C-alpha cells in the first residue's frame, strides 16, 4: 500500500495539533513512499524546557504516522535544539543488535541436540543368502501389500525374509516385552527395512525402530510416504542419525486399490534397493 | 549464576521482542515477555534447582531440557516464578515413557497434555478449580499451561507442519489445559492421592479435546453414570481408532461438577464403583457398526459377552476429577490418546 502526500499531510496535521499545545510547528521537508522527514519550528514556543526530547518526539511522530497510514515509515526529525537529526526506522528494518543502553539482552529458549552422526550405516550388498527383516505395523494394510511384493522379489533373489509387526506405543510391562521381542527380531536378521511412516506417530515409530537396527550396525532403511518424508528425516535427525536411508512411497497410498499399490511396490523396488545399497 | 543460553540484544519493548521471537520461531502468536538474564535467574532461584540440572529429554528433539531452558520459557509465557516447581513436575510427568510424548508431539491427532493440579498449591499458585476452570477463569492456569506449551515448542522441538503433523491442532495447544481439582467439594479422595501422590501433585493426561456432557433430566446416580458412559462411547473416539488392536489402551478423564458428584456419591461412595459403572456403559453394540468393521473387532477379541465393543479395556482407565462451577448439569469428558497412560508426579 503506498501513501500519498495527502495521507502524510493529514498525519502531519494530526501530529501538529498534538505538538501545537506546546507551540511547536511541524513542517514536512521531504516525503517518499518509505520515508518522511519533518522539521520542527519553535518560534511560538514559550517554554522550551517543556518540549519533550527530540528522540521522544520522533517516536511519537513515527507511531502517529503508523496509525494514520496503517504502515510504518522511516521518520526523520530535524530539531533545532540539536545538530543531528533523529530517525526512527520501521520495526522490520531495525538492526537486531541494538545497543545495550537502548535494548535488552534476552536468552535463547531453544535446545539443539549436537551429538549427531551422519553415517547412513553399511550398504546391504548382495542379498543372496541374507535374512531381510521387515518391520511392519498394525496400521497400514497398504504397506503389507508392498512388503508382500518386495518379499517375493527378494526370495527369488535368494534372500530369506522375516517379519515383525509393531503395535505402537504399548505401555507398561507389555510394552517392555514387545520391545524385547523386537530386539530379538533385529538381532536375528542381516538387513532391516522399517515402515510405514504414513502418519505423525507411526512415522516416529518407523524411524525409532529403524534406528535400533542402524545403531547396532545393520544395513537399515526406513520407508515413508511422501507426505511424511520431512517428519521421517527430522525424526532421524532428532535421533542423531540424519543419514538414515529412507525410501519414499507416493502419497496417498492407503486409499489406493490393492493392485495399484502392488504395482507401485514393483515399480519402486529398484530405487528401494539402490537406497539400501543392495544387489539382487 | 551461570546461564549458558545464547544471548541476543533486542529492542526493549514487548511488541518488538514478540516480533523478534516470532521471526526465530519461538512464539505462539501471543505477546511474549522478554526473558532477560535477570528474570530467568529469578525463575531458576524459585525452582530451587541448579540452572544446568536436566529435567528430562523431551521428544522429538531429545535434547536435554534444563532448568534454565524451562525458566526462559516460563518467563516468556507470563507464568509466575512461583510456578516453577509445578512446571518442572509437569514436564517430568509428560516425559515418562508410558505417556508416549514421542507420539503426542508428532502425531496427526490434535492431542494435548491436560494437567490436573492437586494440593495446597492450587490456592497459592492461583490455579482455577471452580467456575470456568478449563478456560475463562482468572488465575494462572493459562500462563502456566502456556509455559508447558512453549517448552514443547522450543525445547522438545514440536513445530506445527514440521515435526508436528497435527491436522487441525486444538485451542489447548496454545495455552495448555491446566486446572485444579476442587478437592474440598469432592466426595472422593483427590485424583492424585488415588494415584499414589499426596499433597501437591500434578496428573497429566493426553486428550484429544473436551466434550461437554449435559443431562437435564437425570433421575438418579446410576442413570447419570450410565448417561455419561453412553455419551462418551462414540464411533469416532480415539479408543476405537485402532480397531482390532486389543492391547492398546484408551483412558478417559471425566470432570464432574461438585453438585453432581455429591449426588452420585450418595449411591456410589467408592470411586471405583463410579469408574466401573461408567466403564460398563461406555460401549457400542457390534451391530451399530458398519459390517465392514465387524471382522476386525471380532478377530481382535474386542467384542464383549453382551455383543458390544467397549471403549476402554478396564474400569481403571476411567479417571474422575471433581472441578467446575456449582451450576450443575454439566460434566466434561476428555477422550484419551491411543497408547498414552496418565502420569502423576508430586512437587
Amino acid at each position: 500500500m503506498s501513501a500519498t502526500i495527502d495521507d502524510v499531510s493529514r498525519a502531519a496535521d494530526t501530529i501538529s495539533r498534538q505538538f501545537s499545545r506546546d507551540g511547536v510547528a511541524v513542517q514536512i521537508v521531504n516525503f517518499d513512499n518509505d520515508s518522511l522527514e519533518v522539521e520542527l519550528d519553535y518560534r511560538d514556543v514559550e517554554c522550551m524546557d517543556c518540549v519533550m526530547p527530540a528522540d521522544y518526539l520522533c517516536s511519537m511522530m513515527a507511531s502517529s504516522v503508523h496509525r494514520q497510514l496503517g504502515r510504518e515509515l522511516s521518520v526523520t526529525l530535524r530539531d533545532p535544539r540539536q545538530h543531528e537529526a533523529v530517525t526512527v526506522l520501521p520495526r522490520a528494518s531495525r538492526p537486531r543488535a541494538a545497543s545495550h543502553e537502548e535494548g535488552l539482552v534476552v536468552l535463547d529458549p531453544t535446545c539443539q541436540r549436537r551429538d549427531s552422526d551422519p553415517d547412513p550405516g553399511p550398504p546391504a550388498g548382495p542379498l543372496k543368502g541374507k535374512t531381510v527383516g521387515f518391520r511392519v505395523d498394525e496400521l497400514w494394510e497398504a504397506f503389507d501389500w508392498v512388503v508382500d511384493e518386495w518379499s517375493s522379489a527378494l526370495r527369488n533373489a535368494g534372500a530369506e525374509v522375516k517379519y515383525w509387526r509393531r503395535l505402537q506405543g504399548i505401555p507398561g510391562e507389555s510394552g517392555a516385552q514387545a520391545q524385547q521381542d523386537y530386539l530379538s527380531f533385529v538381532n536375528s536378521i542381516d538387513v532391516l527395512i522399517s515402515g510405514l511412516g504414513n502418519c505423525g506417530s507411526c512415522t516416529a515409530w518407523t524411524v525409532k525402530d529403524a534406528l535400533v537396527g542402524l545403531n547396532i550396525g545393520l544395513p537399515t532403511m526406513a520407508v515413508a510416504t511422501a507426505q511424511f518424508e520431512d517428519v521421517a528425516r527430522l525424526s532421524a535427525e532428532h535421533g542423531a542419525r540424519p543419514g538414515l536411508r529412507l525410501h519414499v512411497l507416493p502419497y496417498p497410498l492407503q486409499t489406493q486399490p490393492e493392485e495399484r499399490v502392488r504395482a507401485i511396490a514393483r515399480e519402486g523396488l529398484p530405487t528401494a534397493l539402490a537406497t539400501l545399497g543392495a544387489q539382487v | 549464576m551461570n546461564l549458558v543460553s545464547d544471548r541476543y540484544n533486542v529492542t526493549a519493548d514487548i511488541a518488538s521482542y514478540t516480533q523478534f521471537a516470532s521471526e526465530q520461531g519461538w512464539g505462539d502468536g501471543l505477546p511474549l515477555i522478554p526473558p532477560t538474564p535477570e528474570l530467568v535467574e529469578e525463575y531458576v532461584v524459585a525452582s530451587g534447582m541448579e540452572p544446568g540440572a536436566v529435567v528430562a529429554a523431551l521428544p522429538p528433539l531429545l535434547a536435554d531440557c534444563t532448568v534454565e531452558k524451562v525458566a526462559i520459557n516460563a518467563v516468556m509465557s507470563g507464568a509466575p516464578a512461583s510456578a516453577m516447581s509445578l512446571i518442572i513436575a509437569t514436564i517430568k510427568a509428560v516425559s515418562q515413557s508410558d505417556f508416549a510424548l514421542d507420539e503426542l508431539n508428532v502425531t496427526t491427532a490434535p492431542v494435548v497434555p491436560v494437567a490436573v493440579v492437586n494440593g495446597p498449591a492450587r490456592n497459592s499458585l492461583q490455579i482455577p478449580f471452580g467456575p470456568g476452570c478449563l478456560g475463562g477463569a482468572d488465575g494462572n492456569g493459562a500462563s502456566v499451561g502456556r509455559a508447558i506449551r512453549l517448552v514443547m515448542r522450543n525445547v522438545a522441538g514440536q513445530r506445527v507442519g514440521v515435526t508436528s503433523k497435527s491436522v487441525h491442532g486444538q485451542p489447548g495447544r496454545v495455552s495448555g489445559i491446566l486446572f485444579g481439582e476442587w478437592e474440598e467439594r469432592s466426595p472422593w479422595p483427590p485424583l492424585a492421592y488415588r494415584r499414589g501422590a499426596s499433597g501437591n501433585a500434578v496428573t497429566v493426561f493426553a486428550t484429544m479435546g473436551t466434550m461437554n456432557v449435559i443431562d437435564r433430566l437425570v433421575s438418579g446416580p446410576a442413570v447419570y453414570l450410565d448417561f455419561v458412559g453412553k455419551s462418551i462411547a462414540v464411533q469416532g473416539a480415539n479408543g476405537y481408532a485402532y480397531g482390532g488392536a486389543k492391547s492398546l489402551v484408551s483412558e478417559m478423564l471425566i470432570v464432574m461438577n461438585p453438585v453432581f458428584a455429591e449426588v452420585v456419591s450418595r449411591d456410589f461412595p467408592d470411586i471405583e464403583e463410579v469408574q466401573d459403572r461408567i466403564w460398563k456403559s461406555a460401549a457400542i453394540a457390534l451391530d451399530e457398526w458398519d459390517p465392514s468393521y465387524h471382522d476386525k473387532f471380532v478377530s481382535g477379541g474386542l467384542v464383549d459377552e453382551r455383543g458390544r465393543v467397549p471403549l476402554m479395556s478396564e474400569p481403571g482407565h476411567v479417571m474422575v476429577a471433581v472441578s467446575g462451577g456449582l451450576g450443575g448439569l454439566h460434566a466434561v469428558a476428555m477422550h484419551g490418546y491411543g497408547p498414552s497412560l496418565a502420569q502423576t508426579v508430586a512437587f
Side-chain angles (χ1 to χ4, degrees):
Chain A
M1 183 178 68
S2 61
T4 66
I5 185 67
D6 289 337
D7 294 327
V8 176
S9 293
R10 276 195 294 275
D13 286 343
T14 303
I15 298 163
S16 294
R17 283 196 296 276
Q18 294 169 349
F19 284 20
S20 63
R21 292 176 209 136
D22 293 325
V24 181
V26 180
Q27 301 290 330
I28 296 177
V29 176
N30 196 14
F31 160 72
D32 62 31
N33 197 41
D34 298 313
S35 64
L36 168 68
E37 184 177 346
V38 299
E39 190 169 32
L40 301 183
D41 184 345
Y42 288 141
R43 275 176 296 188
D44 295 327
V45 174
E46 294 179 354
C47 172
M48 283 300 289
D49 290 338
C50 300
V51 181
M52 301 298 289
D55 57 351
Y56 185 82
L57 293 177
C58 192
S59 293
M60 278 181 63
M61 192 166 296
S63 297
S64 184
V65 168
H66 186 187
R67 280 197 302 275
Q68 293 283 325
L69 302 185
R71 68 188 184 90
E72 293 181 289
L73 298 182
S74 169
V75 176
T76 299
L77 179 77
R78 298 195 177 281
D79 188 327
R81 294 175 294 175
Q82 60 187 62
H83 181 66
E84 297 283 344
V86 180
T87 298
V88 172
L89 294 170
R91 200 169 289 147
S93 306
R94 289 173 202 165
R96 285 280 163 73
S99 73
H100 286 262
E101 289 74 24
E102 295 175 330
L104 288 174
V105 173
V106 295
L107 300 177
D108 185 341
T110 63
C111 283
Q112 301 294 327
R113 182 167 175 157
R114 293 190 170 87
D115 56 342
S116 187
D117 179 359
D119 182 6
L127 293 183
K128 186 176 181 181
K130 290 182 179 169
T131 301
V132 177
F134 284 98
R135 175 272 192 206
V136 296
D137 61 29
E138 289 275 354
L139 297 174
W140 308 116
E141 193 173 25
F143 191 56
D144 286 355
W145 302 330
V146 170
V147 168
D148 190 43
E149 290 293 326
W150 288 358
S151 296
S152 298
L154 297 182
R155 285 196 190 97
N156 289 339
E160 186 185 343
V161 178
K162 294 175 75 170
Y163 308 96
W164 190 85
R165 192 170 294 278
R166 167 68 75 184
L167 180 54
Q168 66 186 46
I170 308 171
E173 287 182 17
S174 302
Q177 183 57 53
Q179 192 60 18
Q180 201 57 46
D181 291 345
Y182 181 63
L183 294 176
S184 299
F185 167 74
V186 171
N187 282 312
S188 72
I189 59 179
D190 302 307
V191 177
L192 173 63
I193 298 176
S194 174
L196 176 69
N198 192 41
C199 70
S201 61
C202 63
T203 302
W205 271 97
T206 290
V207 172
K208 186 159 69 174
D209 284 342
L211 294 187
V212 170
L214 182 58
N215 286 334
I216 62 168
L218 277 188
T220 300
M221 180 175 74
V223 184
T225 56
Q227 177 74 11
F228 296 92
E229 177 182 356
D230 55 351
V231 77
R233 295 198 186 281
L234 275 166
S235 296
E237 190 177 314
H238 293 158
R241 297 303 301 263
L244 173 69
R245 299 169 195 270
L246 178 69
H247 180 69
V248 180
L249 291 168
Y251 181 88
L253 191 72
Q254 180 69 20
T255 52
Q256 302 279 349
E258 180 176 347
E259 274 316 304
R260 176 69 194 128
V261 173
R262 288 184 178 277
I264 288 170
R266 290 190 295 271
E267 290 162 11
L269 181 59
T271 306
L273 291 174
T275 301
L276 191 53
Q279 291 103 42
V280 293
Chain B
M1 183 177 292
N2 182 30
L3 300 176
V4 299
S5 296
D6 289 344
R7 295 175 181 232
Y8 296 83
N9 294 323
V10 299
T11 307
D13 66 87
I14 286 176
S16 297
Y17 174 68
T18 300
Q19 181 175 338
F20 171 76
S22 296
E23 289 166 2
Q24 313 307 313
W26 302 343
D28 57 10
L30 297 176
L32 295 159
I33 308 296
T36 62
E38 297 77 15
L39 271 175
V40 172
E41 280 193 19
E42 181 187 330
Y43 278 59
V44 171
V45 169
S47 76
M49 300 171 71
E50 292 296 318
V54 175
V55 177
L58 300 173
L61 193 56
L62 289 174
D64 287 341
C65 174
T66 61
V67 170
E68 176 178 337
K69 292 298 181 185
V70 176
I72 295 170
N73 284 281
V75 170
M76 291 167 67
S77 75
S82 55
M84 278 294 286
S85 296
L86 168 57
I87 294 168
I88 288 171
T90 306
I91 291 169
K92 285 181 178 174
V94 300
S95 69
Q96 304 299 308
S97 61
D98 281 352
F99 192 71
L101 189 66
D102 50 350
E103 295 188 48
L104 262 73
N105 278 351
V106 299
T107 179
T108 49
V111 60
V112 66
V114 171
V116 186
V117 182
N118 282 108
R122 290 167 301 139
N123 292 311
S124 59
L125 295 178
Q126 298 177 45
I127 304 300
F129 50 80
C133 58
L134 293 183
D138 292 344
N140 291 317
S143 62
V144 175
R146 188 187 182 204
I148 309 298
R149 300 309 307 153
L150 288 175
V151 167
M152 290 304 133
R153 172 185 296 271
N154 292 323
V155 180
Q158 183 187 35
R159 292 292 168 83
V160 172
V162 185
T163 52
S164 168
K165 291 297 181 182
S166 182
V167 175
H168 296 106
Q170 63 154 297
R173 284 195 168 205
V174 179
S175 58
I177 303 176
L178 186 143
F179 64 103
E181 185 175 27
W182 198 342
E183 300 169 12
E184 297 78 3
R185 291 297 302 260
S186 173
W188 305 295
L191 174 65
Y193 181 83
R194 303 194 309 260
R195 298 175 57 84
S198 55
N200 290 329
V202 61
T203 298
V204 293
F205 167 75
T207 189
M208 305 292 275
T210 62
M211 168 191 179
N212 193 68
V213 179
I214 180 170
D215 186 354
R216 199 173 54 82
L217 303 175
V218 59
S219 58
V223 173
Y224 179 67
L225 295 180
D226 289 346
F227 186 88
V228 170
K230 290 172 183 172
S231 298
I232 61 178
V234 290
Q235 294 193 355
N238 204 74
Y240 292 125
Y242 295 79
K246 186 177 182 181
S247 54
L248 276 177
V249 299
S250 176
E251 293 182 319
M252 287 290 311
L253 175 60
I254 308 296
V255 184
M256 205 176 290
N257 74 70
V259 177
F260 273 28
E262 173 61 30
V263 171
V264 167
S265 70
R266 291 175 199 159
D267 287 355
F268 295 86
D270 295 328
I271 192 69
E272 289 81 8
E273 295 176 300
V274 176
Q275 293 171 286
D276 189 62
R277 187 82 188 201
I278 293 174
W279 173 71
K280 283 177 176 162
S281 303
I284 300 175
L286 184 63
D287 60 13
E288 289 187 27
W289 295 83
D290 185 88
S292 62
Y293 292 78
H294 292 189
D295 282 351
K296 284 273 189 183
F297 288 135
V298 171
S299 63
L302 295 178
V303 182
D304 68 14
E305 67 282 359
R306 295 162 62 186
R308 307 172 317 154
V309 185
L311 177 63
M312 295 158 283
S313 57
E314 58 181 85
H317 290 163
V318 181
M319 293 191 298
V320 178
V322 177
S323 306
L326 302 178
L329 297 174
H330 304 274
V332 170
M334 300 190 200
H335 287 87
Y337 170 73
S340 178
L341 283 178
Q343 304 292 319
T344 300
V345 169
F347 65 95

